[in-house]
Amino acid sequence: MQLAIRVDASPNMGFGHLSRCNALAEHALELGWQVSVFSLYPLANKCDPRIAFIQSSSEFDLSDAIRRKAPDWLLLDNYLLGGIAGKVYADIACRKAFIDDLFTGCDANIDLVISPAGAAEEKRLVGLYPDAKRLLGYSYSLLSSRFRCARTAYTQRSRVLITFGGSDVAGLTVPVVSALVHAGVTGVDVVITDAMGHSELVFPGVQVHQNLNPMQMADLQGKAAVAISAAGGTIFELACCGVPSVICVVADNQLQAASEFAANPGYEVVDCRGVPHIGEIADAYQRLQHSSARRVVHDAAINMVDGLGCKRVLEAMSQYE
């Protein structure tokens, strides 16, 4: 089987898109599939070296390159692929899957639609893709196998993990770390990237980790007792590792999945679109930190997101003739 993936990762798109596509590609490679990644951005150094990477500044050139590859499946992960941008892929003669996590649609004749949100999305997705098979909910979260392997006994954990994605579009990292430190919190791990430029992150009791790969990220999550995270793909990684979390919504496409997490005990959701509420985030952390139910939350979370989503998606793809 040959899989082509059309994905972008930029400060505006978020690196979670690339992370979940890398996870699916990793699992496909383990099954003996051939995988190619196509992007408008130079992502070659962020992909598995076994993956053929093609970059162009033009959607039309990318679609032509995919057409020449003649893959069995084309996976589209880009919530901007509506209208003309989506139509350029519509006539490519292969099966097409789309990861849909925003209230938009893709005009590329979709056969399989994947959404991290569950039943709440069913009606909308039926309307957008009436003929597509729908894989919805936590069990189809696309995670590297490293997160499932990183689980450790919850009683051995004491660290606090703070991560706001690849670009921290809401600028939450420094003020949130500052608020926790001033409240006397120690044992803090903070994840940043070059895109953030947080050179001022020097606080007592805080360890800064920069440009982590999935294995390193999984290791940190497996040691965390509580996390504060943007509501992107990281929240599924944290659940897989059984980490009670404060989830900060920083983009519209994160709201549905975050709302579903909020229905479970051990998750606090703060809407940070617009003016961030740093005090509200700090208060939510304190409630989780002092909750007697955190161990129960851990056990429920690892059952809620079991880390086998890539396996399920590729099995669904394999069932098509």
Side-chain angles (χ1 to χ4, degrees):
M1 293 282 281
Q2 187 167 153
L3 171 66
I5 299 175
R6 165 69 181 90
V7 64
D8 289 327
S10 70
N12 293 326
M13 283 291 296
F15 286 89
H17 296 265
L18 181 61
S19 295
R20 62 193 183 189
C21 287
N22 268 337
L24 188 68
E26 174 188 90
H27 197 88
L29 289 168
E30 291 171 0
L31 295 177
W33 291 35
Q34 297 179 40
V35 184
S36 305
V37 171
F38 301 79
S39 179
L40 297 175
Y41 296 89
L43 306 175
N45 63 330
K46 297 180 174 66
C47 295
D48 189 296
R50 295 171 292 173
I51 295 172
F53 179 78
I54 296 91
Q55 180 201 355
S56 173
S57 60
S58 164
E59 291 287 359
F60 294 96
D61 290 344
L62 286 177
S63 67
D64 285 343
I66 294 170
R67 190 176 288 105
R68 289 193 296 272
K69 277 281 185 181
D72 299 287
W73 275 94
L74 167 60
L75 175 72
L76 299 166
D77 184 6
N78 184 325
Y79 53 71
L80 303 178
L81 284 178
I84 294 174
K87 285 185 172 66
V88 299
Y89 297 97
D91 63 344
I92 295 176
C94 63
R95 296 286 185 181
K96 299 181 199 61
F98 182 56
I99 302 179
D100 187 304
D101 55 7
L102 189 69
F103 295 115
T104 58
C106 182
D107 302 319
N109 303 328
I110 301 302
D111 299 282
L112 187 69
V113 60
I114 307 158
S115 175
E121 290 288 81
E122 179 78 23
K123 182 177 180 180
R124 179 182 72 87
L125 294 172
V126 167
L128 288 172
Y129 316 104
D131 299 321
K133 182 173 183 178
R134 293 173 294 280
L135 306 180
L136 310 181
Y138 303 142
S139 60
Y140 295 103
S141 304
L142 302 180
L143 304 179
S144 168
S145 58
R146 294 177 178 87
F147 291 95
R148 184 176 172 87
C149 296
R151 295 171 172 175
T152 56
Y154 190 70
T155 53
Q156 299 174 9
R157 304 183 188 185
S158 60
R159 307 289 294 178
V160 180
L161 177 61
I162 298 176
T163 172
F164 289 108
S167 53
D168 188 10
V169 294
L172 294 172
T173 302
V174 172
V176 167
V177 172
S178 179
L180 293 191
V181 169
H182 283 97
V185 178
T186 58
V188 177
D189 290 306
V190 182
V191 178
I192 65 172
T193 69
D194 289 340
M196 299 179 186
H198 290 314
S199 59
E200 67 273 36
L201 264 170
V202 180
F203 294 95
V206 174
Q207 186 169 351
V208 178
H209 308 264
Q210 193 159 359
N211 301 329
L212 299 189
N213 61 40
M215 184 178 296
Q216 294 167 320
M217 192 69 177
D219 182 60
L220 279 185
Q221 293 184 17
K223 296 175 182 177
V226 177
I228 301 174
S229 171
T234 304
I235 63 175
F236 302 105
E237 298 170 357
L238 289 165
C240 186
C241 288
V243 187
S245 303
V246 179
I247 298 172
C248 301
V249 177
V250 299
D252 292 344
N253 66 311
Q254 299 174 348
L255 186 59
Q256 185 63 55
S259 298
E260 293 191 17
F261 265 73
N264 299 285
Y267 292 96
E268 297 268 353
V269 175
V270 181
D271 192 342
C272 296
R273 295 171 299 171
V275 179
H277 301 283
I278 305 304
E280 190 176 348
I281 295 171
D283 290 344
Y285 162 78
Q286 293 292 351
R287 287 193 295 272
L288 279 186
Q289 178 63 29
H290 295 100
S291 171
S292 59
R294 282 196 289 122
R295 176 57 189 270
V296 175
V297 171
H298 164 79
D299 294 341
I302 61 176
N303 291 318
M304 182 172 70
V305 180
D306 62 11
L308 299 176
C310 290
K311 176 177 181 291
R312 295 186 180 102
V313 169
L314 291 172
E315 285 176 348
M317 289 179 172
S318 298
Q319 291 170 5
Y320 284 78
E321 294 182 0

